[in-house]
Structures are given as structure tokens and as C-alpha cells.
Amino acid sequence: MGQKGSKIEVTKTDKAILQIKLSKDELHRYTRRTEILIGREREKLKALLREDPKNGKKNPRARILLKKIHYQNHLLEQAADQLINLENLVSTVEFKLVEQQFMMGLKQGNEVLTKLNKEFSGAEDLMDSVADQIAYQDEVDQILSSSVVGGFEEELDRELQQLDQEVNGPAHEPAKAEPNLPSTEGLPALSEPEAEEPQQEPQSDGRQREAVLT
Amino acid sequence: MTEKLPPIYNFPPLYTCQPNVLIREQQLSTWCDLILDFAKTNNAWCMSQEGTVIKDSESSGQSIFRNESIQRSISVPFRDQIWNKMVQSEKAIKSNNGVFFILWRSVDYWSSQILQWFETTGKVNQVVTVYELLEGDETLGWEFHGMHPSLCEESLQKLRDRGRATLLKEQNKIMGVKVV
């Protein structure tokens, strides 16, 4: 029992609310009882008037009954007012509890926020340093890209062309243009291709040497 | 009060204790059903041993064990047998002063109904008095409205055993409950 009871905490406010509610219940019970009483007395009065329609109005008992009913009605109104007061009190207390929770939440949120903000104290230096690093990176990038753009590209083009010639044969391009050319029949053999080859060789040799050097 | 009961209620042999065991068993269970039916249609939470409905701690109306229209009534020993059967089959709880709580719904059903009320009306984590729960305006229209406080206590104990409620006592009497 103790174990299960301790699971749910019963605070002082809970007990206070219970007290308020108990008195509220008492008032509720009272109003109910009075309502029943008034109803009964009204019935009695009606019966009295019905019994003696002529003298009923002058009957002192009828007057007393009516007075009683009025008095009870008055009490009932008072009780209803008090009931509303108590209900208001209960809801105010309950609202205050919610507000308390709200305050606690706010407090905790604030604490966490300040703690997090503390961690951001070096943020400006960090941002400056990051900006510096980015600027340096840009510089390095520019240097690297400009150095690549030098004669290296041309060399690449040349090597590509050479490879193309090796793979597809030196007659690759001329073969395409052949149909437009005049017939070579009957002409003496050309010594041009032979002369061209020695011209190219030193170039490739030079490049090989370059490659070795690098 | 007994008009709405099924026609078997006007069957004369039902009022004499049958000697055959099998038939008597049948008879007893018929009586149990009749009592449950009776309690449900009259919204009766407690009945006296004599078979009358108890409201506001005073018994009123006629006994279920006496049928005026066919001029029959049940003998005292057989009546006690019926009550025994009711208690055994958990359709009734006998309280200290010879009053029976009729469980036309099980205690578990009531406790879950109460829990449901707490949850739908947002009363969770608030203190609510037993009176408020049973007689207050906020439970109007719920089945447990008007329930007998002792029976309500029984249902609340179930909730406490499940760890969902704490019972607040005042002068050694359970007055309030807090549901989580």
C-alpha cells in the first residue's frame, strides 16, 4: 500500500483543495436538500388551499408555510452564492498551479538558454578565423588554377592529337577529304610524308625528356 | 418495478426450491439474471437481503422475491441460496450490514468508466471528491452517476492497484481521489 501510495505524490495543495471541495460538496448537498424541502412545502401549501378554498388564504398555517418557503428560498440563494465562491476559489487555485508549472518551465528554459549562449562566446573569433581560412583557400585555388592554365593545356592537346594519329592512322583525316581531291594517278611519288616524320620525332623526344625530367 | 422483467418471472415453479440439482442450478442462475435485470432497469445499486431496493440508506418498494400478481414468494433459506450464488458468481458483493451491491457491470468496468471520465474531462492530476464523482453535475449522463459510495470505493481501489489513483482520506474515510 505504501509503495503504491508513494508513487503519486499528495501535496499540501492537494489536501487544501480536497478541503475546499469537501465544503463545496456539503453546500451542494444542502442546496439539494433545501430544494426538496421547498418543493414539499409548496405541495403542502397547495393542498391546504385546495382543501379550504374559501378560508384557505386567511389560514395562519398557510401564511406560515409561505413565509417558510420564502425564507428557505433566501437561504438557497445564499448557498448558491457561496457555492459559486468556492468553485471560483478551486479554479483559481488550480489555475495558479498551472501558472506555477509555467514559471518553472520558463525558468528552466532560461537556464538552458544561458548555458547554451555561454558556449557561443568565442563565436566572433571563430567566424573571423573561418573567414581568414576561406580567403586563404581562395588564394591557393587561384594560384593552382592559373599555374595549370600555362602551356600544359597545349601539350595535352598535342598529345591527344598524336594518340589519335597513332590509333586511327595518319591517313585518317586526309581519307575523309579524299573524294574532293583530284586524282593522284600518274603523278610521281611524294616525298612529303617522309620529310614530315623526322620533323615530328624530335618533338615527341623532347616531350619524353620533359616527362622524365619532371 | 417488476413489470419490465421477462415473463419467466411470472412462472410459479420458479418460487419453490427445486429438488433436482440440475434444475435447481438452472433456477438459481435464472434468479441471478432476474436480479441483475431488475437492478439495472431500476438503477439500483444496493438491495437488502429481503430483495428490496435500497436508496439513500432506506429500503423502498416491493421485494423482488415476492410476486403479487401470481401470489408467490420465496422462502428464506432459498433466498439465501440465491444470494450465495450471486456472490459466488461475482454478480454481487455482500457488505457488512447485510446489504448487497448488485454488479450489473463488473467492478473492472466501473473503474475503467471512472478512469475514462477523468481522462475525457481533463480531471487528471486534480483532486476530485467521491461525492463530486457520484453526485456532482459533471458526471450527469455517465453510467456511474449515483453509484453507491462503497461500490465506488471498490472501483477506486482497483485503480489504485493499477497505480493510476491515490485515495485521499479524511477522518479515516475515503473522501477524495487523484488520478494520474
Side-chain angles (χ1 to χ4, degrees):
Chain A
M1 185 185 151
Q3 276 183 328
K4 262 156 197 164
S6 61
K7 253 187 200 171
I8 303 163
E9 223 181 307
V10 178
T11 56
K12 268 187 184 172
T13 34
D14 282 349
K15 283 201 175 145
I17 289 175
L18 181 70
Q19 284 299 335
I20 300 170
K21 283 201 167 177
L22 283 180
S23 27
K24 198 189 91 183
D25 288 349
E26 206 53 59
L27 269 174
H28 196 262
R29 248 178 243 139
Y30 175 76
T31 47
R32 237 187 225 182
R33 231 183 306 140
T34 320
E35 266 167 19
I36 293 167
L37 195 69
I38 289 171
R40 237 180 251 161
E41 278 176 350
R42 219 170 260 281
E43 285 299 311
K44 233 192 267 173
L45 187 64
K46 271 183 193 163
L48 214 67
L49 290 179
R50 218 175 286 134
E51 258 177 37
D52 194 3
K54 278 181 189 167
N55 301 319
K57 277 188 221 165
K58 286 168 195 162
N59 194 338
R61 269 187 67 202
R63 286 190 81 83
I64 289 170
L65 263 179
L66 197 62
K67 244 185 199 170
K68 252 172 116 182
I69 290 171
H70 273 284
Y71 181 63
Q72 298 283 6
N73 253 331
H74 177 65
L75 283 183
L76 197 63
E77 264 173 43
Q78 274 185 338
D81 282 346
Q82 284 174 12
L83 202 63
I84 288 168
N85 271 344
L86 279 180
E87 260 168 32
N88 278 345
L89 189 61
V90 169
S91 41
T92 315
V93 169
E94 271 167 4
F95 182 61
K96 278 286 165 216
L97 282 179
V98 174
E99 274 190 326
Q100 197 190 10
Q101 289 276 326
F102 166 76
M103 279 302 289
M104 293 260 281
L106 216 60
K107 218 176 176 182
Q108 269 175 345
N110 190 37
E111 263 173 38
V112 172
L113 207 62
T114 41
K115 212 181 270 177
L116 283 176
N117 275 338
K118 257 183 212 162
E119 282 173 32
F120 282 113
S121 57
E124 224 167 281
D125 292 341
L126 200 68
M127 286 310 281
D128 279 350
S129 142
V130 166
D132 282 352
Q133 292 300 324
I134 287 172
Y136 179 66
Q137 176 70 37
D138 280 348
E139 229 172 274
V140 170
D141 273 353
Q142 221 155 17
I143 291 164
L144 281 178
S145 59
S146 61
S147 73
V148 165
V149 171
F152 198 59
E153 291 272 295
E154 282 169 34
E155 262 178 47
L156 277 179
D157 277 346
R158 224 175 292 141
E159 196 181 336
L160 209 64
Q161 206 181 341
Q162 203 206 331
L163 270 173
D164 186 51
Q165 273 179 0
E166 266 174 33
V167 172
N168 298 326
H172 179 57
E173 268 184 61
K176 266 191 179 173
E178 221 171 14
N180 296 331
L181 291 170
S183 168
T184 51
E185 265 176 58
L187 284 172
L190 287 167
S191 57
E192 252 184 346
E194 283 168 27
E196 247 181 356
E197 264 182 291
Q199 259 184 359
Q200 268 188 342
E201 263 176 57
Q203 264 187 356
S204 64
D205 276 2
R207 201 170 51 251
Q208 268 173 357
R209 229 176 291 135
E210 235 179 27
V212 170
L213 276 169
T214 53
Chain B
M1 282 171 105
T2 52
E3 296 82 34
K4 282 177 198 156
L5 287 172
I8 186 86
Y9 185 65
N10 292 327
F11 184 56
L14 199 67
Y15 293 81
T16 15
C17 183
Q18 298 297 316
N20 185 309
V21 178
L22 272 177
I23 294 174
R24 194 165 60 238
E25 274 303 308
Q26 181 62 42
Q27 191 187 8
L28 283 172
S29 65
T30 308
W31 268 111
C32 288
D33 290 344
L34 280 173
I35 291 170
L36 290 179
D37 214 357
F38 177 73
K40 196 177 175 183
T41 49
N42 291 305
N43 219 6
W45 299 95
C46 308
M47 280 172 86
S48 66
Q49 197 147 16
E50 288 75 40
T52 52
V53 175
I54 298 177
K55 262 181 187 155
D56 302 326
S57 67
E58 51 187 78
S59 57
S60 57
Q62 77 197 91
S63 166
I64 188 177
F65 299 125
R66 177 184 292 277
N67 191 337
E68 298 289 349
S69 61
I70 57 166
Q71 295 292 317
R72 293 292 159 116
S73 63
I74 269 183
S75 68
V76 173
F78 187 48
R79 193 188 68 196
D80 293 343
Q81 249 184 330
I82 292 169
W83 281 123
N84 275 340
K85 170 89 177 166
M86 284 288 283
V87 173
Q88 262 171 27
S89 53
E90 293 179 341
K91 301 268 167 53
I93 296 173
K94 189 176 182 174
S95 78
N96 305 326
N97 44 6
V99 174
F100 289 91
F101 296 120
I102 314 298
L103 299 173
W104 29 281
R105 297 248 199 244
S106 68
V107 176
D108 283 320
Y109 178 87
W110 291 124
S111 62
S112 68
Q113 277 281 307
I114 290 169
L115 189 61
Q116 207 182 331
W117 178 79
F118 270 95
E119 274 167 2
T120 50
T121 52
K123 293 278 179 193
V124 174
N125 233 337
Q126 284 181 17
V127 178
V128 174
T129 61
V130 175
Y131 178 81
E132 214 180 350
L133 192 64
L134 301 180
E135 308 285 338
D137 300 333
E138 284 173 278
T139 56
L140 278 175
W142 285 75
E143 269 186 293
F144 58 81
H145 187 84
M147 191 195 244
H148 193 277
S150 309
L151 189 55
C152 180
E153 269 173 36
E154 205 80 33
S155 322
L156 292 176
Q157 302 272 16
K158 289 252 172 200
L159 281 183
R160 196 192 63 184
D161 291 344
R162 280 165 58 189
R164 293 296 305 268
T166 312
L167 306 181
L168 288 97
K169 282 183 187 161
E170 193 66 38
Q171 287 149 8
N172 271 334
K173 238 183 128 206
I174 294 169
M175 297 305 268
V177 63
K178 186 177 164 190
V179 171
V180 179

